[in-house]
Amino acid sequence: MTRERAMVPEAEFRSYYGRPVIKAPIWHEPHMPTYLYLGGLSGVSSSMAVMARLTGHPRLARTARVAAAAGAALGAGLLAAELGRPARFLNMLRVFKPTSPMSVGSWILAAQGGLSAIAVAGDLASDLPKTGGRAGRLPGAGGSAGRLPVAAGLAGFLSGAGGLAGRLPGAGGLVGLLPVAGDAALLATGVTGPLTATYTAVLIADTAVPAWHEAYRELPFLFAGSAMAAAGAACMLGTPPAHAGPARAVAALGAAMETVAGQVLERRLGFIGEPYRTGRAGRLMRAARVLTVGGGLLAVVAGRGRTLTALSGLALTAGSLYTRFGILEAGRASAADPKYTVVPQRRRLDAQSSPDRGSDAGAAQPAS
Amino acid sequence: MAERMGFFTDTSICIGCKACEVACKEWNQLPDDGFVFEATSYDNTGTLGASTWRHVAFIEQSRPVAAGGDDGVDRWLMSSDVCKHCTHAACLDVCPTGALFRTEFDTVVVQSDVCNGCGYCVPACPYGVIDRREDDGRAWKCTMCYDRQLGGLEPACAKACPTDSIQFGPLDELRARAEERVTRLRADGNTEARLYGESPDDGVGGAGAFFLLLDEPEVYGLPPDPVVTTRDLPAMWRWAGAAALSAVGAVALAFLGTGERR
Ligand code: SF4
Ligand code: SF4
């Protein structure tokens, strides 16, 4: 029986009346996949805001800061709503457990949410009427330093800090502090942002769901690419096209990364990756791919054209969302059919075990 | 820490009476399962879940060679499934609130006053044991009657089992007893008899609740070679770190490589 099974096609397996062996993820739509999208959006928007600040793209930096803060705040709201006991949301921060990607992620998200909010507040405060001998906040934007944007940006940070030191005893007060605190927080989101965008891949891969767990190498890249596409798209949509050049580049690179990671994932997983290709999940993933590739190509050619930019941004946003919904659905399908759990495990056992396993199954008929 | 306690479920002497299911529901005051008739067998709970902490599986097997048999049904396999109280428990590893904890008896228990119903433990368990009760919002599973054990009593299912198919005791003793039993059964010609979950070398470091089965595990709805996925967690974080760095690099490239400034 066992020998036979080793040679027949993969669908040959035994089960208990075809029932699932593991429990499917109970996370809901639209909460969970939308959270994955928003986390990605927030995370990469932070990276963009940092780079925009350092290279002197104030318009783009403003949009990215807002997207980062809004994504994290909305995402946290969705997470709370997803809980069986939303009132116990703060129990997430009761402990720090390195063995739980959700615990680690909660702390990352808490940091990302707080820091990105401060970064926005700081940016808005810098618009307020100046209260006195303040150092220029954005020397990088002032022409001559334009050739060395990063250096100019850093000089901006430093002069901001210097201005702060000069002002501390004075009357600037809290509002005067905000732009500096905002920039400091922004720098910190340069670390929390990319983690926010990728920890969710570890979160779903650290489950018994075969289509998720076996994909733990590619999922983070898929998520990072999807997050770049999402953040690039949001910044394209929220910034005048003349200032959105880097956003278009981020979006296009993200679309490419997501597409390649998805292809590699499906190729490497083979049979276990079937749920990504079939049924509702397959349709969602295919739609995601079309939207992402299309949106990415549009981002490359859009230039300063408003219509093309809008089309590209919308397509990429939809593509990123479709990807996240498709991933959840594929996980459910992978858990619901016992063959994805049983067949790989049985093969593993058969590969290890001695021939004596073959004789013990008797003539009993498959119970499936 | 007290001795590690466990269950040895010897399915070769299970008569499918479901006394364990009932005793568990009674003692732990679990809600009903909706009185579903599965129409596939005498099984009417179907699977372990938030309100079913012991589940009796019924497998009717026919053999093609059976001559003159009754409808071809050759044998019934019956087995009372339960949480495995894994040595390396995925549910416990991934629980973000610390609601799941390891007791002094080396069992795995949910603290219902801490659980916030995040649902992470549900797809993490390689055996599909723990589940969230939707009306209540929290995750529930077998506690190996933690409260009874604290009072020096054996769990309700083991107490109620009329054939001693469910045995409770120190895990070491149970393992030795199970070894004897399976050797005896095999010597008697039951070559399909095997232990499941008894080995500390398996993918979950050995189960605190293990079984003697008369067919392959998947026939009973059990995973043939379960693995605690947190085993791969360091590798998973490495791949995520690489992806995060790639994203940072790509964003930097987008900004530095884009001609237009401001
Ligand atoms: S069987 Fe599942 S629920 Fe029980 S201890 Fe192991 S991982 Fe946790
Ligand atoms: S549902 Fe409850 S027990 Fe399960 S992982 Fe979340 S907090 Fe822990």
Side-chain angles (χ1 to χ4, degrees):
Chain A
M1 188 96 204
T2 312
R3 292 306 103 203
E4 235 174 80
R5 187 176 307 107
M7 284 175 279
V8 294
E10 50 209 12
E12 188 78 13
F13 71 107
R14 307 171 80 194
S15 77
Y16 184 63
Y17 300 104
R19 284 185 169 278
V21 172
I22 58 169
K23 296 262 187 286
I26 50 178
W27 296 313
H28 299 118
E29 284 165 349
H31 304 68
M32 189 268 195
T34 309
Y35 167 69
L36 296 179
Y37 161 80
L38 288 171
L41 168 73
S42 169
V44 173
S45 292
S46 285
S47 303
M48 291 178 66
V50 172
M51 281 311 293
R53 172 74 178 82
L54 290 176
T55 57
H57 289 83
R59 301 288 293 266
L60 189 50
R62 164 69 56 89
T63 311
R65 285 194 204 215
V66 171
L74 287 174
L78 281 180
L79 271 198
E82 170 70 63
L83 297 177
R85 291 282 172 113
R88 294 187 181 173
F89 182 55
L90 286 180
N91 280 10
M92 287 291 186
L93 305 181
R94 189 179 160 267
V95 288
F96 175 78
K97 259 176 88 171
T99 61
S100 167
M102 193 181 281
S103 170
V104 174
S106 297
W107 286 100
I108 292 174
L109 181 66
Q112 169 73 1
L115 291 168
S116 60
I118 299 173
V120 166
D123 199 33
L124 296 177
S126 69
D127 281 356
L128 295 176
K130 295 187 174 147
T131 49
R134 234 193 109 195
R137 208 179 85 78
L138 280 172
S144 69
R147 290 191 189 284
L148 279 171
V150 176
L154 278 176
F157 275 114
L158 293 178
S159 71
L164 168 71
R167 244 175 307 121
L168 266 182
L174 262 185
V175 177
L177 267 172
L178 261 175
V180 185
D183 280 349
L186 179 67
L187 258 195
T189 62
V191 176
T192 58
L195 293 175
T196 306
T198 48
Y199 91 84
T200 42
V202 180
L203 181 113
I204 67 167
D206 190 17
T207 61
V209 177
W212 286 353
H213 181 67
E214 297 307 320
Y216 72 78
R217 295 176 178 84
E218 293 87 3
L219 277 179
F221 287 91
L222 183 74
F223 278 26
S226 180
M228 285 172 60
C235 291
M236 278 161 69
L237 294 173
T239 316
H243 299 275
R248 290 191 290 273
V250 169
L253 287 172
M257 192 195 281
E258 177 181 344
T259 307
V260 171
Q263 297 284 1
V264 175
L265 184 155
E266 285 186 23
R267 189 154 304 185
R268 195 177 63 83
L269 259 53
F271 161 66
I272 297 177
E274 211 173 74
Y276 292 107
R277 297 190 292 271
T278 52
R280 179 165 174 257
R283 286 196 294 279
L284 287 166
M285 294 303 284
R286 276 191 295 279
R289 189 147 309 156
V290 169
L291 287 162
T292 303
V293 170
L297 290 175
L298 274 181
V300 173
V301 300
R304 299 189 176 189
R306 277 180 193 281
T307 320
L308 285 185
T309 300
L311 272 179
S312 165
L314 291 175
L316 287 169
T317 302
S320 183
L321 276 164
Y322 269 100
T323 297
R324 312 314 184 119
F325 278 78
I327 298 262
L328 173 60
E329 189 59 31
R332 288 181 183 152
S334 167
D337 192 328
K339 74 178 173 197
Y340 299 119
T341 307
V342 171
V343 172
Q345 293 190 15
R346 176 50 64 195
R347 281 187 186 155
R348 197 158 65 210
L349 280 181
D350 286 350
Q352 293 164 359
S353 72
S354 47
D356 70 26
R357 281 203 69 83
S359 60
D360 63 11
Q365 209 168 265
S368 61
Chain B
M1 185 107 127
E3 219 171 348
R4 181 168 185 186
M5 304 303 276
F7 280 134
F8 167 41
T9 307
D10 179 353
T11 71
S12 69
I13 48 172
C14 176
I15 55 172
C17 69
K18 300 182 191 169
C20 51
E21 278 193 23
V22 176
C24 176
K25 287 230 182 236
E26 284 280 338
W27 179 262
N28 294 298
Q29 302 189 311
L30 302 180
D32 71 69
D33 303 284
F35 302 103
V36 194
F37 179 55
E38 297 285 343
T40 45
S41 72
Y42 284 98
D43 180 352
N44 59 346
T45 43
T47 173
L48 289 173
S51 305
T52 306
W53 298 353
R54 272 274 175 192
H55 161 243
V56 183
F58 289 76
I59 300 123
E60 294 171 20
Q61 287 186 334
S62 49
R63 299 178 193 226
V65 288
D70 175 15
D71 271 355
V73 174
D74 180 80
R75 66 170 181 173
W76 276 5
L77 300 178
M78 286 156 282
S79 162
S80 178
D81 196 9
V82 70
C83 168
K84 315 302 176 289
H85 294 276
C86 310
T87 305
H88 305 302
C91 62
L92 191 155
D93 283 345
V94 304
C95 174
T97 62
L100 275 153
F101 78 112
R102 195 169 291 281
T103 71
E104 60 270 46
F105 307 108
D106 241 345
T107 54
V108 179
V109 173
V110 194
Q111 304 170 81
S112 51
D113 55 338
V114 176
C115 171
N116 67 7
C118 73
Y120 199 6
C121 50
V122 177
C125 169
Y127 301 92
V129 169
I130 193 165
D131 204 358
R132 188 163 78 182
R133 211 177 275 158
E134 281 315 314
D135 54 353
D136 162 287
R138 291 173 295 183
W140 299 90
K141 72 168 193 74
C142 161
T143 68
M144 208 182 270
C145 284
Y146 186 40
D147 50 350
R148 290 176 61 98
Q149 284 199 55
L150 285 174
L153 299 170
E154 68 177 324
C157 55
K159 181 85 187 167
C161 178
T163 65
D164 258 355
S165 169
I166 300 175
Q167 300 172 30
F168 168 79
L171 194 57
D172 292 340
E173 283 176 28
L174 292 178
R175 280 180 177 154
R177 201 183 303 162
E179 206 51 64
E180 270 172 40
R181 172 77 183 152
V182 78
T183 311
R184 165 90 187 280
L185 280 173
R186 282 171 169 268
D188 287 353
N190 286 299
T191 49
E192 297 172 52
R194 79 213 50 210
L195 296 180
Y196 175 79
E198 90 294 355
S199 166
D201 303 323
D202 70 14
V204 300
F210 66 99
F211 301 79
L212 188 154
L213 304 177
L214 297 179
D215 205 334
E216 288 173 337
E218 55 265 42
V219 171
Y220 296 86
L222 296 164
D225 187 24
V227 167
V228 55
T229 52
T230 26
R231 199 172 74 175
D232 301 324
L233 201 51
M236 289 188 236
W237 280 118
R238 277 198 296 278
W239 283 88
L245 285 177
S246 306
V248 171
V251 170
L253 196 72
F255 275 85
L256 299 176
T258 311
E260 345 155 58
R261 292 270 115 83
R262 341 173 22 92

Coordinates of all heavy atoms in Angstrom, one line a residue, chain A residues 76-136:
Chain A
A76 N -3.9 49.5 13.0 CA -4.0 49.1 14.4 C -5.5 49.0 14.7 O -5.9 48.0 15.5 CB -3.3 50.1 15.3
G77 N -6.3 49.9 14.2 CA -7.8 49.8 14.4 C -8.4 48.5 13.9 O -9.1 47.8 14.6
L78 N -7.9 48.1 12.7 CA -8.4 46.9 12.1 C -8.0 45.7 12.9 O -8.8 44.7 13.1 CB -7.9 46.7 10.7 CG -8.6 47.5 9.6 CD1 -8.0 47.3 8.2 CD2 -10.1 47.2 9.6
L79 N -6.8 45.7 13.4 CA -6.3 44.6 14.2 C -7.1 44.4 15.4 O -7.5 43.3 15.8 CB -4.8 44.9 14.7 CG -3.7 44.4 13.8 CD1 -2.4 44.4 14.5 CD2 -4.0 43.0 13.2
A80 N -7.4 45.5 16.1 CA -8.2 45.5 17.3 C -9.6 44.9 17.0 O -10.2 44.1 17.7 CB -8.4 46.9 17.9
A81 N -10.2 45.4 15.9 CA -11.5 44.9 15.5 C -11.5 43.4 15.2 O -12.5 42.7 15.3 CB -12.0 45.7 14.3
E82 N -10.4 42.9 14.8 CA -10.2 41.5 14.4 C -10.2 40.5 15.6 O -10.5 39.4 15.5 CB -9.0 41.3 13.6 CG -8.5 39.9 13.3 CD -9.4 39.2 12.3 OE1 -9.6 39.7 11.1 OE2 -10.1 38.2 12.7
L83 N -9.9 41.1 16.8 CA -9.8 40.2 18.0 C -11.1 39.7 18.4 O -12.1 40.4 18.2 CB -9.2 41.0 19.1 CG -7.7 41.6 18.9 CD1 -7.3 42.4 20.1 CD2 -6.8 40.4 18.7
G84 N -11.1 38.5 19.0 CA -12.3 38.0 19.6 C -12.8 38.9 20.8 O -13.9 39.0 21.1
R85 N -11.8 39.5 21.4 CA -12.1 40.4 22.6 C -11.3 41.7 22.4 O -10.3 41.9 22.9 CB -11.6 39.7 23.9 CG -12.4 38.5 24.3 CD -13.7 38.9 25.0 NE -14.5 37.8 25.3 CZ -14.9 37.4 26.5 NH1 -14.3 38.0 27.5 NH2 -15.7 36.4 26.7
P86 N -11.9 42.6 21.5 CA -11.2 43.8 21.2 C -10.9 44.7 22.4 O -9.8 45.4 22.4 CB -12.2 44.6 20.3 CG -13.1 43.5 19.8 CD -13.2 42.5 20.8
A87 N -11.7 44.6 23.5 CA -11.4 45.4 24.7 C -10.0 44.9 25.3 O -9.5 45.7 26.1 CB -12.5 45.2 25.7
R88 N -9.6 43.7 25.0 CA -8.3 43.3 25.5 C -7.2 43.5 24.6 O -6.1 42.8 24.7 CB -8.4 41.8 25.9 CG -9.4 41.5 27.0 CD -9.3 40.0 27.3 NE -10.3 39.7 28.4 CZ -10.5 38.4 28.8 NH1 -9.9 37.4 28.2 NH2 -11.4 38.2 29.7
F89 N -7.3 44.5 23.7 CA -6.3 44.8 22.7 C -4.9 45.0 23.4 O -3.9 44.5 22.9 CB -6.7 46.0 21.9 CG -5.7 46.4 20.8 CD1 -5.3 45.5 19.9 CD2 -5.1 47.7 20.8 CE1 -4.4 45.8 18.9 CE2 -4.2 48.0 19.8 CZ -3.9 47.1 18.8
L90 N -4.9 45.7 24.5 CA -3.7 46.0 25.1 C -3.0 44.8 25.8 O -1.8 44.9 26.1 CB -3.9 47.1 26.2 CG -4.1 48.5 25.6 CD1 -4.3 49.5 26.7 CD2 -3.0 48.9 24.7
N91 N -3.7 43.7 25.9 CA -3.0 42.5 26.3 C -1.9 42.1 25.4 O -1.0 41.3 25.8 CB -4.0 41.3 26.4 CG -4.8 41.4 27.7 OD1 -4.8 42.3 28.4 ND2 -5.5 40.3 28.0
M92 N -1.9 42.6 24.2 CA -0.8 42.4 23.2 C 0.5 42.9 23.8 O 1.6 42.4 23.4 CB -1.1 43.1 21.9 CG -2.2 42.5 21.1 SD -1.7 40.9 20.4 CE -3.0 40.5 19.4
L93 N 0.4 43.9 24.6 CA 1.7 44.5 25.1 C 1.9 44.1 26.5 O 2.7 44.8 27.2 CB 1.6 46.1 24.9 CG 1.3 46.6 23.5 CD1 1.3 48.1 23.5 CD2 2.3 46.0 22.5
R94 N 1.2 43.0 26.9 CA 1.4 42.6 28.3 C 2.7 41.9 28.5 O 3.3 41.9 29.6 CB 0.3 41.5 28.5 CG 0.1 41.1 29.9 CD -1.1 40.1 29.9 NE -1.1 39.3 31.1 CZ -0.5 38.1 31.1 NH1 0.0 37.6 30.0 NH2 -0.5 37.4 32.2
V95 N 3.2 41.2 27.4 CA 4.5 40.6 27.5 C 5.2 40.9 26.2 O 4.6 41.3 25.2 CB 4.4 39.0 27.6 CG1 3.9 38.6 29.0 CG2 3.4 38.5 26.5
F96 N 6.5 40.6 26.2 CA 7.3 40.6 24.9 C 7.8 39.2 24.7 O 8.6 38.7 25.5 CB 8.5 41.6 25.0 CG 9.3 41.5 23.7 CD1 8.9 42.1 22.5 CD2 10.5 40.8 23.7 CE1 9.6 42.0 21.4 CE2 11.3 40.7 22.5 CZ 10.8 41.3 21.4
K97 N 7.3 38.5 23.7 CA 7.6 37.1 23.5 C 8.3 36.9 22.1 O 7.7 37.0 21.1 CB 6.3 36.3 23.5 CG 6.1 35.5 24.8 CD 4.7 34.8 24.7 CE 4.9 33.4 24.1 NZ 3.6 32.7 24.3
P98 N 9.6 36.7 22.2 CA 10.4 36.6 20.9 C 9.9 35.4 20.1 O 10.1 35.3 18.9 CB 11.8 36.4 21.4 CG 11.9 36.8 22.8 CD 10.5 36.7 23.3
T99 N 9.3 34.4 20.7 CA 8.8 33.2 20.0 C 7.5 33.5 19.2 O 7.1 32.6 18.5 CB 8.6 32.0 20.9 OG1 7.6 32.3 21.9 CG2 9.8 31.6 21.6
S100 N 6.9 34.6 19.5 CA 5.6 34.9 18.9 C 5.7 36.1 17.9 O 5.9 37.2 18.3 CB 4.5 35.2 19.9 OG 3.4 35.8 19.3
P101 N 5.7 35.8 16.6 CA 5.8 36.9 15.7 C 4.7 38.0 15.9 O 4.9 39.1 15.5 CB 5.7 36.2 14.3 CG 6.1 34.8 14.5 CD 5.7 34.5 15.9
M102 N 3.6 37.5 16.5 CA 2.5 38.5 16.7 C 2.9 39.4 17.8 O 2.5 40.6 17.8 CB 1.2 37.8 16.9 CG 0.0 38.8 16.8 SD -1.6 38.1 17.1 CE -2.0 37.3 15.6
S103 N 3.5 38.9 18.8 CA 4.0 39.7 20.0 C 5.0 40.7 19.5 O 4.9 41.9 19.7 CB 4.5 38.8 21.1 OG 5.2 39.6 22.1
V104 N 6.0 40.2 18.8 CA 7.1 41.0 18.2 C 6.5 42.1 17.3 O 6.8 43.3 17.4 CB 8.1 40.2 17.5 CG1 9.1 41.1 16.8 CG2 8.8 39.2 18.4
G105 N 5.5 41.6 16.5 CA 4.9 42.6 15.6 C 4.1 43.6 16.3 O 4.0 44.8 15.8
S106 N 3.4 43.3 17.4 CA 2.6 44.3 18.1 C 3.5 45.4 18.6 O 3.2 46.6 18.6 CB 1.9 43.6 19.3 OG 1.0 42.7 18.8
W107 N 4.7 45.0 19.1 CA 5.6 46.0 19.6 C 6.2 46.9 18.4 O 6.3 48.1 18.5 CB 6.8 45.4 20.4 CG 6.3 44.9 21.7 CD1 6.0 43.6 22.1 CD2 6.1 45.7 22.9 NE1 5.6 43.6 23.4 CE2 5.7 44.9 23.9 CE3 6.3 47.1 23.1 CZ2 5.3 45.3 25.2 CZ3 5.9 47.6 24.4 CH2 5.5 46.7 25.4
I108 N 6.4 46.2 17.3 CA 6.9 46.9 16.1 C 5.8 47.9 15.7 O 6.1 49.1 15.4 CB 7.2 46.0 15.0 CG1 8.5 45.1 15.3 CG2 7.5 46.8 13.7 CD1 8.8 44.0 14.3
L109 N 4.6 47.4 15.6 CA 3.5 48.3 15.2 C 3.3 49.5 16.1 O 3.0 50.6 15.7 CB 2.2 47.5 15.0 CG 1.0 48.3 14.5 CD1 1.2 48.8 13.1 CD2 -0.3 47.4 14.6
A110 N 3.4 49.1 17.5 CA 3.2 50.2 18.4 C 4.2 51.3 18.2 O 3.9 52.5 18.2 CB 3.3 49.6 19.9
A111 N 5.5 50.9 18.0 CA 6.5 51.8 17.8 C 6.3 52.6 16.5 O 6.4 53.8 16.5 CB 7.9 51.1 17.8
Q112 N 6.0 51.9 15.5 CA 5.8 52.5 14.2 C 4.6 53.5 14.2 O 4.7 54.6 13.7 CB 5.5 51.4 13.1 CG 5.0 51.9 11.8 CD 6.0 52.6 10.9 OE1 7.2 52.7 11.3 NE2 5.6 53.1 9.8
G113 N 3.5 53.1 14.9 CA 2.4 54.0 15.0 C 2.7 55.3 15.8 O 2.4 56.4 15.3
G114 N 3.4 55.1 16.9 CA 3.7 56.3 17.7 C 4.7 57.2 17.0 O 4.5 58.4 16.9
L115 N 5.8 56.6 16.5 CA 6.8 57.4 15.8 C 6.3 58.1 14.6 O 6.6 59.3 14.3 CB 8.0 56.5 15.4 CG 8.8 56.0 16.6 CD1 9.7 54.9 16.2 CD2 9.6 57.1 17.3
S116 N 5.5 57.4 13.8 CA 5.0 58.0 12.5 C 4.0 59.1 12.8 O 4.0 60.1 12.1 CB 4.4 57.0 11.6 OG 3.3 56.3 12.2
A117 N 3.3 59.0 13.9 CA 2.4 60.1 14.3 C 3.2 61.3 14.7 O 2.9 62.5 14.3 CB 1.5 59.7 15.5
I118 N 4.3 61.1 15.5 CA 5.1 62.2 15.9 C 5.8 62.9 14.6 O 5.9 64.1 14.5 CB 6.2 61.8 16.9 CG1 5.6 61.2 18.1 CG2 7.1 63.0 17.2 CD1 6.5 60.6 19.1
A119 N 6.2 62.0 13.7 CA 6.8 62.5 12.5 C 5.9 63.4 11.7 O 6.3 64.5 11.2 CB 7.3 61.4 11.6
V120 N 4.6 63.1 11.7 CA 3.6 63.9 11.0 C 3.4 65.2 11.7 O 3.4 66.3 11.2 CB 2.3 63.2 10.8 CG1 1.2 64.2 10.4 CG2 2.4 62.1 9.7
A121 N 3.2 65.1 13.1 CA 3.0 66.3 13.9 C 4.1 67.2 13.7 O 3.9 68.5 13.6 CB 2.8 65.8 15.4
G122 N 5.3 66.7 13.7 CA 6.5 67.6 13.6 C 6.5 68.3 12.2 O 6.8 69.5 12.2
D123 N 6.1 67.6 11.2 CA 6.1 68.2 9.9 C 5.0 69.3 9.8 O 5.3 70.4 9.2 CB 5.8 67.1 8.8 CG 6.2 67.5 7.5 OD1 7.2 68.2 7.3 OD2 5.6 67.1 6.5
L124 N 3.9 69.0 10.4 CA 2.8 70.0 10.3 C 3.2 71.2 11.2 O 3.0 72.4 10.8 CB 1.5 69.4 10.9 CG 0.9 68.3 10.0 CD1 -0.3 67.7 10.6 CD2 0.7 68.8 8.6
A125 N 3.8 71.0 12.3 CA 4.2 72.1 13.2 C 5.2 73.0 12.5 O 5.3 74.2 12.7 CB 4.8 71.6 14.5
S126 N 6.0 72.4 11.6 CA 7.0 73.3 10.9 C 6.4 74.3 10.0 O 7.0 75.2 9.5 CB 8.0 72.4 10.2 OG 7.4 71.8 9.1
D127 N 5.1 74.1 9.7 CA 4.4 75.0 8.9 C 3.9 76.2 9.6 O 3.5 77.2 9.1 CB 3.2 74.4 8.2 CG 3.6 73.5 7.0 OD1 4.8 73.6 6.7 OD2 2.7 72.8 6.5
L128 N 3.8 76.1 11.0 CA 3.3 77.2 11.8 C 4.2 78.4 11.7 O 5.4 78.3 11.4 CB 3.2 76.7 13.3 CG 2.3 75.6 13.5 CD1 2.3 75.1 15.0 CD2 0.8 76.0 13.1
P129 N 3.6 79.6 11.9 CA 4.4 80.8 11.8 C 5.7 80.7 12.8 O 5.6 80.2 13.9 CB 3.5 81.9 12.4 CG 2.1 81.3 12.3 CD 2.2 79.8 12.3
K130 N 6.8 81.1 12.2 CA 8.0 80.9 13.0 C 8.0 81.9 14.2 O 7.6 83.0 14.1 CB 9.2 81.1 12.1 CG 9.2 80.0 11.1 CD 10.5 80.0 10.2 CE 10.4 78.8 9.3 NZ 11.0 79.0 8.1
T131 N 8.6 81.4 15.3 CA 8.6 82.2 16.5 C 9.9 82.9 16.8 O 10.1 83.3 17.9 CB 8.2 81.2 17.7 OG1 9.1 80.1 17.7 CG2 6.8 80.8 17.7
G132 N 10.7 82.9 15.9 CA 12.0 83.7 16.3 C 13.2 83.0 15.6 O 13.1 82.2 14.8
G133 N 14.3 83.4 16.1 CA 15.6 83.1 15.4 C 15.8 81.6 15.2 O 16.7 81.0 15.8
R134 N 15.0 81.0 14.3 CA 15.1 79.6 14.0 C 16.0 79.3 12.9 O 16.0 80.0 11.9 CB 13.7 79.1 13.7 CG 13.3 77.9 14.5 CD 12.0 77.3 13.9 NE 12.4 76.0 13.4 CZ 11.7 75.4 12.6 NH1 10.6 75.9 12.1 NH2 12.1 74.2 12.1
A135 N 16.7 78.3 13.0 CA 17.6 77.9 11.9 C 16.7 77.4 10.7 O 15.6 76.9 11.0 CB 18.5 76.7 12.3
G136 N 17.1 77.7 9.5 CA 16.3 77.2 8.4 C 16.1 75.7 8.5 O 17.0 75.0 8.7

